[in-house]
Amino acid sequence: MNKKQMKEIEKLQKLKESGALTDDEFKVEKEKILNSNVTTNKNSDNSTIKKTCIILGIIVLVVIIGVVIFFVIKNKNNTEPTSSETNSSEIANQASVDSSSNIQAGHISNISFGNYNSDDENFDETQKNIIEYFNNNYMGFSAKDAQKYPQMFEGAKVCTYVRVVKVLNSTDEEFEVVAADLSQDGWRAYYDSVDQIPTGNIICIKGKQLNERLMGGEKINVYGTYINTENKEIDGKSYMVSNMTADFIQGFHYDSTDRYELPDSKFSFDVIKNIAEYIFGKDIKVSKDTPEYADEGQEINYYNVILDDQSNLNFKSFDMYDDQGMIVYDNEDNKLDINTTKKLFISADFQHFIVTTYDKNTNHVYIDYFDRDRKKLWSREFDYKSTKAYVSPMDYNNDTLACVIDNDLHIIDLNTGEDKVNSVIVGEKIKVLMIDDGIILIGDNSKDTIMKVDYSGNIIFKKDITFDGQLKNIDYSQVQLINDKLSIYLSANFESDPYTAYKLVLMSKDGNIESISNDLSYSF
């Protein structure tokens, strides 16, 4: 590569970073520049040339062929992205093909945002923070249930509530503790030693060392990955334990009145600020102020993010929650009616924003799509006549958004804002997950509880899931694709009983149910 080519590629890189060129356009233009210096030379034989000239000609031809091969190999290597050149957009596009052919085949290959994993080393730290922030897909689990149904949890992202009983290892790099599962015994349970923990309630947790090291007796929420269940020797005795690794730990503290024990923030100020600056830029103010209407001892679980530049009415003031991944438009600062809910999501390529607005006064839903410069690219408006909660579950990859609005599944082209296929009537849904060959939908009742629709709009299967009691509704669900199988968590409310039960389902992507649990419940 010569200096002229390097300068031209640097210009292209700047255009790509500014958004003037897409990744595909950048690659095409880069290849043109690299190939512009490669030439092929044709040689013809001349029978009248003297023998010595023929020999010299052959030598010259061999040299030229060698040079051409050298440049072809070099240009091939230069056009292949190195690990340093690979960015998040390329990761999301690693298996993508033309979207129109995908739709025709009822198949799509981009990774959806709902399937992103912050453990992937291809993402930088800020992108990992963003993925983890918006990841509200951890399954609640208990050690006892994991021992009964290990196939449901192996490899799953899980969360649980425990009390540390014994520290097995604590170095500058890592920790390992033995904890009692409080989801079965209740938050008041306390144990002085491992042998006091009821059978089946022991969890071993490993993770990277924390700034504030864990001590015996502490209550914590743990978010991480379930590994397995095994017999483990502790203090010379063998116990059945559930093993998990910790992504992060959430402690507890008392409120200002010393009456109520509350969980610490799931996300720190530094993490919130880092994500806010990535999304909105450096010219922002991040603060946590207690509003006048707050009750005594009440703690505010969000940070207010205000942009210095208030000229764009669509981007002025936001509330970023520190206990769950959610960015909401501040109603007061944005002069929104109390019956209006407006949220912001970051796209799968980290270069766009999806904004949803629910107006209960007019029964309308709006979806707006913005670029990184906060310029609106398109907008859609939908009727919302449902009397149920104003929630439209969705998932999306680089070029497609799937969402259920007022009982209809819409498969939207993110480039144009238009439906790729006609909307599909699927009923009330509370969860959407896009996988390679279709869209998994979770309903709020026992009829058509689990559905799959392909990207051509064809319903592939419907599965009814029943509970023992008289079901009121399924109000919460988590779906994870693990080793090409669907692990599904369903939480239900009942008409006559005040308690909440949950059920676990393990199924193949083609709808074959491989395992299903009994109704499971927490003791508190």
Side-chain angles (χ1 to χ4, degrees), residues 313-325:
L313 296 180
N314 290 301
F315 292 86
K316 297 178 66 176
S317 177
F318 300 84
D319 296 330
M320 291 186 64
Y321 285 75
D322 60 16
D323 59 347
Q324 59 179 313

Side-chain angles (χ1 to χ4, degrees), residues 506-521:
L506 183 69
M507 65 191 307
S508 63
K509 294 194 298 183
D510 61 4
N512 178 41
I513 294 179
E514 300 183 5
S515 182
I516 186 167
S517 74
N518 296 322
D519 289 6
L520 306 171
S521 62

Side-chain angles (χ1 to χ4, degrees), residues 40-45 53-69:
T40 57
N41 298 295
K42 296 181 180 180
N43 296 282
S44 60
D45 294 330
C53 292
I54 293 174
I55 294 173
L56 289 173
I58 292 173
I59 293 173
V60 171
L61 181 60
V62 170
V63 172
I64 292 174
I65 291 173
V67 171
V68 171
I69 291 174

